[in-house]
């Protein structure tokens, strides 16, 4: 194996925003006993960060126990709704074809680098049969409290251990839709393909330092 390709999940490969919002509201109610009034924008941030900001936005003083309880509740709430993902969500244009094409490149390992917690990332890709292209064992996920650039390096270490090959900035590519994804790739020294299907404009992605900016994934080449 000579190349590691890491995909962001939400708004790069799939859009399951409706189910995600409902799961957050359910988890918030379970943990705090109160209804969720405001949910912050995800925009490339990990669930661990979103949880704390959501608590603050809704007037809840965060305690040490809040994060693990919230993430457990979020996993349960999302799992309970996984049957709705394919009905109420969608794959982003060209996502399946792009994953298949990259998977066909010799010596390439594909995984995810996502702000979503692992169980939910798996559900999201399984719902659209995209999981068959991805090795989840070497990915980086939203319950891991690292900056995204550090999480990228953690993923490289996991791939190195699993495949017995060296993965560093010279042979790692991140594909994502947010300026935060671009910044993480640049800090970690990896190459960056930005897809303008999220909330970051093409100009913002270029300004952040993306090596390539695509309008979507419709052209696998």
């Amino acid at each position: 194996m000579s190349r590691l390709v890491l995909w962001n999940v939400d708004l790069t490969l799939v859009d399951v925003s409706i189910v995600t919002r409902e799961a957050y509201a359910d988890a918030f109610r379970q943990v705090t006993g109160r209804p969720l009034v405001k949910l912050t924008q995800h925009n490339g941030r990990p669930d661990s960060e979103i949880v704390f900001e959501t608590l603050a936005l809704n007037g809840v003083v965060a305690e040490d126990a809040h994060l693990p309880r919230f993430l457990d509740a979020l996993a349960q709430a999302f799992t309970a709704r996984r049957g709705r993902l394919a009905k109420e969500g969608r794959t982003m244009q060209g996502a399946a074809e792009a994953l298949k094409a990259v998977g066909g490149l010799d010596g390439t390992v594909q995984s995810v680098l996502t702000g979503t917690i692992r169980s939910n990332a798996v559900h999201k890709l399984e719902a659209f049969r995209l999981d068959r292209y991805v090795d989840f064992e070497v990915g980086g996920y939203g319950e891991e409290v690292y900056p995204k650039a550090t999480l990228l390096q953690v993923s490289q270490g996991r791939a190195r251990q699993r495949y017995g090959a060296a993965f560093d900035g010279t042979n790692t590519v991140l594909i994502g839709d947010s300026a935060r994804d671009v910044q993480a790739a640049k800090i970690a020294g990896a190459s960056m393909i930005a897809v303008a299907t999220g909330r970051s404009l093409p100009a913002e992605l270029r300004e952040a330092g993306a090596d390539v900016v695509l309008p979507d994934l419709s052209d696998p080449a």
Side-chain angles (χ1 to χ4, degrees):
M1 294 298 180
S2 58
R3 182 187 295 109
L4 176 63
V5 178
L6 298 170
W7 294 84
N8 179 60
V9 174
D10 291 296
L11 300 184
T12 300
L13 295 175
V14 302
D15 179 6
V16 291
S17 303
I18 294 173
V19 176
T20 298
R21 284 195 295 269
E22 284 190 17
Y24 258 93
D26 191 350
F28 185 88
R29 189 179 300 106
Q30 288 184 49
V31 172
T32 68
R34 296 162 48 178
L36 177 68
V37 178
K38 298 179 181 178
L39 177 61
T40 185
Q41 292 285 350
H42 288 212
N43 203 23
R45 291 183 297 169
D47 281 333
S48 56
E49 182 178 327
I50 293 165
V51 165
F52 284 122
E53 185 165 333
T54 298
L55 290 169
L57 277 174
N58 290 273
V60 178
V61 178
E63 300 175 358
D64 290 343
H66 272 130
L67 182 60
R69 287 177 58 206
F70 203 116
L71 293 182
D72 285 346
L74 181 62
Q76 293 171 19
F78 203 88
T79 298
R81 293 167 171 79
R82 67 185 184 277
R84 294 169 45 197
L85 293 172
K87 297 176 183 178
E88 300 180 30
R90 63 185 175 113
T91 57
M92 304 306 289
Q93 185 176 4
E97 295 80 5
L99 280 164
K100 182 178 180 179
V102 173
L105 298 174
D106 288 341
T108 298
V109 179
Q110 291 192 99
S111 191
V112 295
L113 187 75
T114 175
T116 301
I117 60 175
R118 177 170 172 163
S119 62
N120 292 357
V122 173
H123 287 320
K124 289 174 184 182
L125 296 192
E126 282 182 342
F128 301 98
R129 301 189 65 210
L130 302 180
D131 57 301
R132 53 187 159 162
Y133 303 111
V134 171
D135 183 351
F136 290 106
E137 294 301 316
V138 301
Y141 303 95
E143 67 265 41
E144 302 179 270
V145 189
Y146 298 110
K148 205 162 193 177
T150 303
L151 193 57
L152 189 154
Q153 294 170 326
V154 169
S155 183
Q156 289 172 329
R158 289 171 177 160
R160 188 180 305 119
Q161 184 174 14
R162 184 166 171 83
Y163 292 98
F167 294 102
D168 55 26
T170 66
N171 60 359
T172 301
V173 181
L174 176 60
I175 305 174
D177 62 85
S178 73
R180 282 176 173 248
D181 292 328
V182 180
Q183 292 159 3
K186 295 297 99 180
I187 292 170
S191 298
M192 180 70 207
I193 298 175
V195 187
T197 50
R199 295 182 178 86
S200 294
L201 298 173
E204 294 175 308
L205 297 169
R206 293 190 190 93
E207 186 177 349
D211 297 294
V212 177
V213 179
L214 302 176
D216 52 43
L217 296 172
S218 59
D219 182 0

